[in-house]
Amino acid sequence: MVEAGMDSIGTNTAPEAGATPLTVQAPVMGSAPDLVTVSVRQGLEAVDIIRRGAGAAVPAVGPVLHDGSGDTLGFLVPPGTADAWDLPGSACTQTNGRGMRFGDLAAAPTAGGTGWLLPPEAVGPVTDPEVLRAALGEAARLIEAADNCR
């Protein structure tokens, strides 16, 4: 874990004066982040939940991929997250750098039709897995409540 400041890829994550610092986990230089994939509906809700809960100074959500078919979102999370990820309705896989150059996160993904919903240059280095887990749980509850109102 690193305190807000400069992360391992050089992104300034320093909070504004008076803001509460957010702790985010930066990827280890040279290692590829893991990828948590969820349905678009749950993923978009989770992005909104994370952004509402974060202070304006430090983004709490990292880069998010949107697949070409529009069915899933993928959140970049720290390497090793896949080893313990067990949240129903989602999957976490080790990327091992497949499909993109992690040394240059701003590069477009090479998987056909995939693009950035939240590009690396606009957000923090990766999403904290505990923050993501909580947001995905809340998103699932909100979606279930909305569906039951129909």
Side-chain angles (χ1 to χ4, degrees), residues 2 5 7 108 116 119 133:
V2 290
D7 62 49
W116 293 112
R133 180 183 303 277

Side-chain angles (χ1 to χ4, degrees), residues 8-80:
S8 65
I9 59 173
T11 304
N12 183 1
T13 60
E16 294 174 1
T20 303
L22 174 68
T23 302
V24 293
Q25 186 144 5
V28 176
M29 197 57 132
S31 60
D34 290 348
L35 184 72
V36 172
T37 54
V38 297
S39 70
V40 167
R41 187 174 179 199
Q42 186 177 13
L44 290 173
E45 285 290 340
V47 167
D48 286 344
I49 290 164
I50 294 170
R51 286 185 152 184
R52 281 193 317 259
V58 180
V61 66
V64 178
L65 289 166
H66 188 271
D67 74 347
S69 66
D71 294 336
T72 61
L73 290 185
F75 293 82
L76 293 183
V77 294

Side-chain angles (χ1 to χ4, degrees), residues 4 41 47 49 54-55 71-72 95 103 121 124 128 130 132 136 142:
R41 187 174 179 199
V47 167
I49 290 164
D71 294 336
T72 61
T95 65
E121 64 274 7
D128 181 287
E130 293 306 315
L132 181 58
L136 289 172
L142 288 171

Side-chain angles (χ1 to χ4, degrees), residues 73-94:
L73 290 185
F75 293 82
L76 293 183
V77 294
T81 300
D83 296 337
W85 191 264
D86 63 352
L87 188 67
S90 67
C92 187
T93 56
Q94 296 175 339

Side-chain angles (χ1 to χ4, degrees), residues 95-117:
T95 65
N96 297 321
R98 293 184 304 256
M100 68 184 301
R101 296 173 295 159
F102 289 98
D104 180 12
L105 280 178
T110 58
T114 299
W116 293 112
L117 175 70

